[in-house]
Each structure stands twice: as C-alpha cells, then as structure tokens.
Amino acid sequence: MQCFTQLTPPTAVTHAVSLPFLSASANNLVVAKTSLLQIYSFKTVISNAVEQDAGIPNGHDRRTSGVKVPGRDRVQTTKLVLIAQYDLSGIVIGLGRVKTLRSTSGGEAVLVALKDAKLSLIEWDPERYSISTISVHFYERDDIQVAPWAQDDAQCVNQLTTDPSSRCAALKFGARHVAILPFHQAGDELVMDDFDGGLSDDQSRPTDSSHKQANGDSHHLTPYRGSFVLSLLALDPGLMHVVHLAFLHEYREPTFGVLSSRLAASSALYDRRNVLSYAVYTLDLEQRASTTLLSITNLPYDIHTILPLSMPIGGALLIGCNELIHVDQAGKTNGIAVNDFARRNASFPLPSQPDLALRLEGCVIEHLGNSNGDMLMILRSGELAILRFRIDGRSVSGLSVRLVQQQSGGHLLSAAASCTTGVGRGRIFVGSEENDSAVIGWTSRSMKLKRQRSVAEAYDRADAMLLDPEEDEEEEVEDEDDLYFNDKPDGHLLAKPNSSPTDTEIDEYTFQIHDSVLNLAPLGNLKVIEAESFIFTNPSSQEYVPNKLELVASMGHGKAGKLTKLRMGILPQVKHRFDLGNVQATWSVAVKNLATESSQPIDDHDSVIITSVVTDAGEERSYAYTLRTDPPTELLESDFDSSAGATIALGTLNAGTRIVQVLKNEIRAYDDDLSLAQIFPISEDPTPKDPRIVTASFAEPYLLLLRDDSKAMLLKADDAGELEEVEQGDTLSNTTWLSISIFDDSNDVFRLAGEEEEADDEGSSVLMFLLNVNGGLQIYKASDLSHPVYSASGLSFLPPFLSEDFTIRRSSAREPLVEILVAELGDAVTKTPYLILRSANDDITIYYPYQSAIEGVSNSSLRFAKIPALGLSNTITSNVVDGQNYPIQKLRAIQDVGGYSTVFRAGVSPCLVLKIASAAMQIVPLNSASMKSFASFHTIDCRRGYLSVDNVGAISAAQLPPYADFSTGWLAETLLCGKNITAFDYHAVTDRYVLGSSENAGYKLPDDELHPEWVHEDIIFLPQIEQGLIQIFTPSSGTITDTYPLDSGEVVMCIKTMSLETSENTHVRRSLIVVGTSFVLGEDLSTKGRIYVFDIIDVVPDPELPETSRKLKLIAKEEVKGAVTSISEVGTEGFLLVAQGQKCMVRGLKEDGTLLPVAFIDAQCYITVAKELQGSGLCIMADAFKGIWLTGYLEDPYQLRLFGKSAQHLEVVAAEFLPHGKDLYIVVGDAEGAMHVFQFDPHNPKSLTGQRLLHLGNINTGAYPTTMTLLAGHPASDPLADGRAISVASDDTPASLHQILLTSQTGAISLLSSLTPSAYRTLAAMQAYLTNTLPHPLGLNPRAYRSAEADNTVGGRVVLDGDVLKRWKELGSWKRAEGMARAELDAEWEFEALLEGVWL
C-alpha cells in the first residue's frame, strides 16, 4: 500500500511554440516539459548596465541580465513571465499552432499531441483565465493494426506536424499510419461529414460540423472537420520506414514532405549508405487522397529531419549528421558537407567544408527572421553557427556555414537544444533537456546600418513606452524592434537577381542571453545529507539548526554538467541576533528628512527598530532602538514613550518623513528624529470600555484600522503629515468586519468603477479590502466610502473562480477565514497584486485578479482565479486575545527581500510566499522554529534582509541565500558547474565530495600487431572518446583541489563512500572511497573494468590555497573482466559488493592492497543495480533484461544465495528496498517509466516458497528513472500541534513508515510513501472522488495515465496517485465537505494530516 507523489515538476523543455494565444495581438510562448504545459508572455525590461553585472556570478542573472545597447549605459532585456501552468495526465510529444475561424479570446489555438496517439485542441478562455479544451481525438484503435506481427504502437515514435496555413494537421503514429485532422477555413463550403470514403475516422468526429445560415454564410459548430486515418503505404508503397515528415510552405493545398527508406537500418553501412528518399505529397482533404509532386532518391542514410523553409528561401532543408541538403519546390538540390565523414559515408555529390569539423547529431536550426533567410544552427555541444543561402535569381545556388566566434556569443549555450522557436524580432527561445532553457537575442551589422531612427530616438520611444502603460501591445512590439535597431521589411523580401553576398557584406551577428529558465534535468546521482548546518555568519553568535532534508545531485551533460544542492525549505543566513527582551513584534524603518530631501542624497538604510515587548511583570511596552550603534541601543533622549503600551503596527506616511505608531488606544506620529508630532486618540474621552485597535494597514496617505468592536476606521494624512479621520458611509459603518487590508492600485490592475476624480489627486488609486463576519469580500475606494465598488459575498466558500455573480451554495461548509491581505508579489521583472487569505488553521489561499469582459456581468468585469497551491497546516491556531475571539495578524508583506516582493506567514510553521516571473507561485517553508513576527530590514551588512522574532522573543536579522533559485519550490544552489559528472559521493569525515567526471578527447587507433594498417590511419575528423577523472571537490571554497586521472577510454561508473575493514588482524575499519570504472573502447573489443579504493589524507596545503590540505591516496587497485557497474557495502564485517561484468562478487580489502573475493553469484547479464538493505545481508540485483533478483549474503560460510526473482522480464534501471514492518517490498523502475512493486513473501502459495517475487502493482511515473534512495522512516501516526492524531494503531501497523526518493531524466523529484491500511483506504476513497470531480486539463484521464501494463500480477492494491490528492485545495469548501463525507472523515485536519504522510 503505497502512494506516489511528485515533489517538483519536470524542468526539461521538450517542445515549444510561439503564437498569439491570450489575444489576437498578444505574443505568447507555449512550452511543454513532458507532462507540464506552461504559457508565457514577454516583458521588455530596461535597466542600468552597472546594475546588471553587480554581484552576479559569471556576469549573468536570470532576472537582470540583458543586452547592452551601444552608446548607452543601459541594457534592454526580454524577460519571460509565466501566465499559467498545468500538470497533464500524459506526455507531450508535439505542439502545433492552429489559426481557427473563431476563438473566445481572439487568439489562435494550440494542438497538443500526446504519447499514446491523442490530440487535444485548446484555446484561451478569458472568462475563466485558463485554457479551454475544444476537442480530444483518440487514435488508439485495434482495427487500425493491420498485421499481428507489426510493431506495437507504444514502441513507435509518434510525430505531430501542422500545416503553416492551418488547413490541417497530421499525426504520424504507429509504424505506418497518419491521422489527418482538417480545420475549417474562411470561405470553406466543403461539408465532409456525410462523405464516406471507406477510411477510418477518429472517435471524436462530430455528427454535424457545419450548418448554413439564411444569409448563406457558413457557421461551424466546431473549428475542425472529421479526421481520418491513412496508411502511408496507401500514399506510396515505398514508404516502408518513415524517418520524418513535415508540412511545407507556399502551396495552395496542404503539402507535406516525407523522408523514408525502403530498407531498415543495418550495420552494413557500405551497402546501405544511400537508402533514404525524400518525396513531396499534396493532400486533397475532400477526396481524402494524395498526389506525389516530386521524389528524390539515394540520399545519405544519416539524414534525420525535414525543416520546412518559408520565403524567400522556400522548399525544405534536410538535416543529416554530416551534411545539409536544400530541396526547392522544383526538386533542385543544393547542399554542403560539414565534415570529412560525409564523403566517406555517402555517394551523394556535395560541396564540402571539411575544415568546419561539425557534428550535426542533435543539431537544431531556427530562422533568424531576416530578409536574406539566414538561419541559426545550435550544435549538440551548444556552439552556434550561421547557415547562409546563396540565392541566384529566385532559386538557391549554394549553402555556406560559419561558426559564431566566442566574442560574438558563439559559446553562450553549453548544451544541445531540444527545440527552438522565434518569439519576436531578434529573439529566439531555445529549449533544452540538458541545461537551462534561454531566450537569446541577436543583433547584426546590417540591422544597425538600416535603422531609420537614431539610438537616442529609439531610447526616447522606449522611455515613452515605459511611462505610458496605456499603449497597446502592437505599439510596444514596434518599440521593441526599434530598440533592437531592426527595421520592418519594406517589400524587398527576395534578394536581387544574380546577387550573392561578398565577404564584406556578410553580417556579423552578436548573440546575448536575455533570460533563462531553471532546468534540473537530467538528474544523475543523488546524495541525501541530513547533517546539521552552521548557519550563523556572525562569529560572536553561533547556533546549529537541523535541516529537514538536503539533497546534492549531479545534473546535466558535458559542459552543462553541474553539482547542485537542493533543499525543501529555506535555511536563512542569519547576520545578527538581538536579545532585547521578550519581544512580541518588531519593525524597522528608514526615515527621510524632508528638509534635506531635495539637496542631499537620502540614505535608504534602516535607522530605527521598534519593538513591542511583554515584561516579566506582564506589562506591555514598546521600545525604540537606533541601528547606528552595535549592538542597537535604546533611544532615551527622544519623545518615544515606552510606557504607552504595545505597538499594534508601525509604518511611514507623508513620503516616508512621518513615522506612525499604532497603539491600542491611540496613534502617534513622529518626525525623523522621533520627536512627537501628533497624538490621535481613538475616542475623544478615553475610557477603559472604549474600543481598541486590533490591526492596521498602511497605504500612502491612508491608515486603515480595525477595532475590537469589528468596526473599521480610516485616517488620512494631509500635506503636513497630520492625521484626520475620513467620514464613512452608512454601509461601511454599519457592517462588522473580521479583517482589513488597504492597497494602492497605482497600476490600475483591479480597474474598479468609481466616481470621476482628478488624475493627480493623491490617494485616488487606494482601495480598501474588507472581510465581513459572514465571509464576504467588499472593496471600497478610499476616496469614496459611500458605497462599495465591488462585493463578493461567497468568498468564504473559496470557489475556483470568484466574481460578484457567484451563487452561494446551500451549504454551511464555509472556510473559517480570519485574515485578508492584498499585496504585490514578484521580482524585479514584474510585480502583480494578489488577494491572500488565511484560514483558522493557517492554510493560505491565494487569488489572482483579472478582467473578464463578458456580456451579462453585473457591475464589474473584475474576477479572481484561485492559484493552485498546497498549503497544509501543521497546527490549529487560537485567535483568542484577552478572552475574546479576534483575528491575529500573521501575514506580513515585505517589499524587498533579496530582490523579491514577498509575504511572510508567522506561526508554528513559518513560510514565505514567492513569485518569480518565469515560475509558478511557491509557498516555501522556513527551516526554523516558530516565529511570532516578521519585518523588513535593510542595512549595510544585511542588505535586503528581514527581521524575525522567534518563540522565545529573540530577534534575528537574516538574508535569503544568495544566488539560489526557488523556481521549483525547492531551493536550488549550484555548487560546481562545467563538469560532466558521471558519479559522486560525499565523504562526511573530511567534508569533501569525490567526483567522477569525464572529458572528451580525440581517439586514434592504437598500435596492433594484427592490424598493421592502423598505423597509417589518415583522418582529420577524429572520433571522440571519454577519459575519466577522479577529483576532490571542496564545497567551502567551491574548487577542485585534487585530481586523479584515469586511462584513455576509462570512465567512472559508480562511486561509494564505505566503512571498510583495512586489516585482517586488527579489524580496523575506515571510511574509504570505492570507485568502479569501465573501459569504453568499442564494440569489437572486450570490456574490462577496475576497482579503486582511495583514502583522503591530510597534506601540507599551499599557503595561498588552504583548501588544498586534502589529497587522494590510492589504497587498492584491481582490474576485472567486465565493467564495474554497481558497488555497495555488504554485511557487518566491512566487505563490499561489486557488480562486475556478469557476476556479483563480495570482496574484502587486504593489507597488501588487494581485494580478495569471498563469495560470488552468476547473473548471466550485466547488472544495473546491486545494493544491500543496510545491516540485513539482503541484496537486490537487477539487470536490463531478466528483471530483479533477491539474494542473501551469509558470513559463515561466505556465500551469496538466491532467494527469489521476478517472473517477468523487466528492463530495470533503478531499484530499492521498501521495508514495511515485517513485510519486505522491492520497488523497481523500468526504462518505460513504470514503477513496479514486488513483495518477498515465502508464505504465499503463489510465490512458490519465495522463489518468485509477487508482483503487487505498478504505476506509470511518466519519466525515465535515474535513482531510487531509501529515506529514514517516520512515525506511522503524525500528531498535530494540539495533541490530536489520527488513530491508525493495529496489529499490522509498523512503528515507522519508510519512503523512497526518486529522480528522473525530466528533472522531476518524486516520492513513494508507505501507508497504513486505514490511511490507504481513506486516501483511495478521496482519490476516486477527486478524479471524478476535478477538471483535468486537455480532457485527459489520470487513471489511464497512471495505469501501466504488467503481467503476472497477484491482485495487489494499486499505487495511489498523490498528484491528484494534492489538488485537494483546488475545490471549493462545499466540494471538500462532500469529499470528506465520501471518505468518512469528520474534519479537514484529518485528511491534511494524512497528506503530510505522503509528503516530505
């Protein structure tokens, strides 16, 4: 009984397409990351060049980096802004852009192809601010399979291609089938629904796709017509083995090119090196037939891609591994060979540029968008090259390739691109599965020479664009082009006849990175570190805080390889610790001096700390401290009265020159020197029974108060800073309120209707958000309190979409909301206001405001969309103050913490809400004790930090970790980059990492007596071979301090830190490093490997490099037959288990440096996994063909014994033990992304006394697994803070439950958790309810996606899908109440406590 949960989303970008999606004039980017769909927009940011490079490693930061414009000290960047993202129950294999006749948003639609032959057509729905699924098309039909011996559809590569004119789309699926989906076009009078050509239609074909109006115009019910399936053999009997297909440009009818072969791939290269053919077919959608336009045969065997080209080039570009071939519309071919192998491997005549020595495997080519047709080539290594076409008249006469020099940005990228798409003039989005995806910009010499405006004029237009936010998007795009010094085409799209560029006319392109998106893929080795971390940087104060979970993982390939630290929560860097008594809350302020504001620069550093303290005698006091001394000292010579009582809130008004202190009975205003300027009492004649202030909220020039009689009060500061009460209307004064918030909507995001006011009236944009006692939301303009401008009475039901017209359900299941806050969240790129709600159990719900211009909306088009987020509470809080129930203000908005505008939540489980422009909203926990209060803090030695008050009343000044990325919800910090890390491990004794890395080197044939001709090998373009290195990495300095080189062709396969016995006499054990390697020299040579044993010893360091005090010392070295693929510690005597070749051996380290074998077992296959359940002697061994084996290691006598094995063949790539009480489970991940659960149960008759491992169940993870790591167990019952817990005690309940951490090649980190029987039944019932209730993007089925085909299962329970369970908060409160009734739960905290068991 297990549950699978995805902790972080996939990060590897596989597909991307740009189009106007949100509206007809928008410029959007749709990105697919295997099972994640993201929608981006773009924003142009202009900043100072000095700010860009300050304090940024490697001169690049994803939020501030950009393109420096010549002649100015400012940089312009194009940044990505995430609009929405959706977790899909499927794997995306293609994206297509489709222009439909009509759409709800006015923009275009996106056709999404999924792995199992599905198509989903989606568009943007502005009413719900989300995607809308128009149709779903299925092509998994048994009648399509024509032969029983044909290859299974699941083993075939499917491909989507769309017609550039949006007339149809084609999905190639299976071995030789293609599905055609036609789309209606303007003036289309074809009605094909009644046509029956005897071919197969898909199941989504409508019964009536179009009808005629009386005026004769055609109005279609759907944007598509009935699709049909064609056999490629019906198009042409020669299309036996299709390599690639794509629709072409500039044809009257839908026309596509097909690259295919009559023969299958073979190792007989010389005889089958010219086997490919390229044919062009035009498609008749009415007759469902095709016509062959041209065919070219005898093409090189290594061509793999067809790239359609638009005008002025036209035709198609065929991309091979060693050559590029252009085919125009008449069938004329021109090409170029880019290395010396092209002429050896093909007889197709091509001009050659062998000096380029390029490898085009994995190459991606994209249009640069200029009029001469130049194209950008991104090689497998990440290098950039320019492909240029020589045009003679209207036809192409030749091709040339030129590498981009390093000084021009030719080495900006360090890994291959998976996809590219143009996102505007001078900008290209480059997606990658091995490195961060990026938006790159380019400029050229001709663009500067042809510009119509000068640089100064361009900047003037840019400044005007930034100052006038009302300009439409089309004008913004034009201004961006001007800033790039680009010109619109003026009609001269084609080159002049008989003209070819000379050397002096060739553009010198310069490339820069504008923005990047974090990518953790592909995740390699993983190390779990649970040690305590020293977090205080002030030597005078030291404290250790235990971590929740810290991971160190290797990721990326080649130059993009890196070592990254991952942490679930934030471990802040504490700079100072102040002991100022039993502090309850604190504030810091930076005060401006009005007299010197215009003549002197203003120091924006905080200068004063105000604390609210409860003394030992129980008295409430407030103290002021100056930050100009160290430590801070109390300001005694000022008008600040510490005996005035507890401070409720503190802020500044009057442009920061007036400090306003809110007390329970009065408000005090101070000048910058804390001289008292005004006392504003709540009542004219104060009495003990007068209402007191509970909470306060500031927005220049207003101060909004909430009293304990549930009445709101608004004050306004005049030009002199004097506070005056604002008169209220009857509605506001007669309503009782639960929580308040005030916000300055200076950017007019909410666009609420109100009375006409002067544009320069100060405070005219300030809005008041009030939560009444019935859970309703009312919004007032601070300048007009006569009536609310917006009212939503159903807020406490937490619907997915909130509007004024939301109908209140007949249900009492309201969320007990206690606090409301409207604040901006974001970074330096973009900031957006959000509506943030806190419930009584500290759950956070966030709403995003948007405008929905829909007919029939009553008062306002303002709506709120709920942000999907998992905010589980760990406590049931009490809001009792002095015996009465009042809201406690736990949410604190801070404008600048490490460059982020964020919101902190105090309490038992403190956290902060972060929004990065290119990532989704994240609620990140703080790895610290409970916190009472937070405040901003900005000083010289703690820049852009924050203050926190812990549960003992101590104040800490801290900063967020620098250079860390929070895009995935986990803190990601790069420790080392630029290394191709194949394996690593952590040596805790010395606090060092031991890395196994590799470098590519040219390989020449060695001297061989049997092959004397090898000596005369004449080749310039040498093949590449890896050479391994074993290195010591010191995390404190971030440098490599020692290197042990391996032989040529020797690669590190595995590294493990083990406690090995080093003496047979004394039985002394030491922590040593064991390394397994393999020689990768070629398929005609036998594989061998080596086992190394190293120790890390102390040496005399370099005086200038103290981190070089540790070196590797070789203890043992053993050469074995076969590759050493896996190693593990085994037994209790300090021996090691080695998977070498087709055997698994147990070896012991002798004093003479040899590794003595003591036991072995024959596997007959190469072992991929070999590990022991620590201290038990039970071992699992897995291979890529037979499956999984369970063996036992005995020490007296030494032997390895087979206990059981799987009954079916599995391609195992990762495996791990999962103990559960007295039961033993084995979890296996195969190459198809399926995860299988086996059990060793010798008492079960179906196991044949344990010889067969019982296959209990499986689940499809949707990704290729790389590692599985068993985590320490946690208690089976998780009590809440008030002592209550779910009772799960029974005879079969173990004392602790274990979890397995999984990593994948997509960059996703997942968790497999064990469950108790009662928890499993409850979660299974809730999963069934959520699956049927929640909307699923693209119309996909989560049950079908998670189910994996398997044989010989014994009827075990299915693995639960935690990704469905964690969407619990997306439901409204009435739906959640219904779900709890289905699962037989009494309260939500019970279900949330169960969810914590499947989370970390």
Side-chain angles (χ1 to χ4, degrees), residues 221-273:
L221 297 179
T222 60
Y224 59 89
R225 296 182 288 184
S227 64
F228 53 93
V229 177
L230 295 175
S231 172
L232 290 174
L233 295 179
L235 296 179
D236 189 340
L239 300 179
M240 295 292 295
H241 304 281
V242 176
V243 178
H244 196 254
L245 61 88
F247 279 100
L248 305 179
H249 294 267
E250 307 300 331
Y251 283 91
R252 292 186 177 180
E253 299 293 335
T255 304
F256 59 92
V258 181
L259 186 66
S260 64
S261 171
R262 289 181 176 270
L263 303 175
S266 172
S267 59
L269 176 60
Y270 186 81
D271 297 327
R272 298 188 179 183
R273 56 180 183 168

Side-chain angles (χ1 to χ4, degrees), residues 485-506:
F485 313 116
N486 205 351
D487 225 4
K488 288 185 171 59
D490 53 1
H492 301 287
L493 295 179
L494 298 177
K496 295 181 180 180
N498 302 320
S499 65
S500 61
T502 63
D503 294 338
T504 58
E505 295 173 345
I506 295 178

Side-chain angles (χ1 to χ4, degrees), residues 1183-1188 1206 1208-1212 1228 1230 1236 1238:
D1183 59 73
F1185 179 73
K1186 290 190 174 182
I1188 189 78
S1206 58
Q1208 67 269 35
H1209 295 293
L1210 292 173
E1211 190 176 352
V1212 181
V1228 173
D1230 64 17
H1236 306 264
F1238 293 89

Side-chain angles (χ1 to χ4, degrees), residues 108-171:
E108 299 183 5
V110 176
L111 188 63
V112 184
L114 298 123
K115 184 178 180 181
D116 43 2
K118 290 187 181 72
L119 290 177
S120 291
L121 185 64
I122 61 174
E123 65 178 4
W124 185 255
D125 185 359
E127 182 179 359
R128 300 178 66 86
Y129 204 75
S130 177
I131 60 173
S132 174
T133 304
I134 302 175
S135 62
V136 183
H137 308 264
F138 299 85
Y139 300 100
E140 294 175 312
R141 296 173 54 181
D142 296 334
D143 57 334
I144 293 179
Q145 198 68 266
V146 295
W149 59 84
Q151 190 177 12
D152 187 73
D153 288 349
Q155 300 176 352
C156 299
V157 178
N158 300 342
Q159 181 200 344
L160 173 69
T161 178
T162 56
D163 179 52
S165 301
S166 299
R167 291 168 291 193
C168 66
L171 174 67

Side-chain angles (χ1 to χ4, degrees), residues 581-661:
N582 187 14
V583 179
Q584 302 299 310
T586 184
W587 297 265
S588 65
V589 291
V591 182
K592 297 180 181 179
N593 190 331
L594 186 61
T596 60
E597 184 174 1
S598 60
S599 60
Q600 297 180 5
I602 300 171
D603 185 7
D604 60 347
H605 293 156
D606 292 336
S607 55
V608 177
I609 288 181
I610 307 294
T611 63
S612 180
V613 179
V614 176
T615 63
D616 295 337
E619 297 180 349
E620 294 181 340
R621 290 179 173 269
S622 299
Y623 297 96
Y625 297 89
T626 177
L627 293 173
R628 302 184 187 277
T629 61
D630 188 16
T633 56
E634 183 181 356
L635 289 173
L636 299 176
E637 298 178 357
S638 66
D639 294 340
F640 191 87
D641 186 4
S642 62
S643 62
T647 301
I648 302 300
L650 189 134
T652 60
L653 293 176
N654 197 23
T657 61
R658 190 64 61 91
I659 301 175
V660 179
Q661 180 192 17

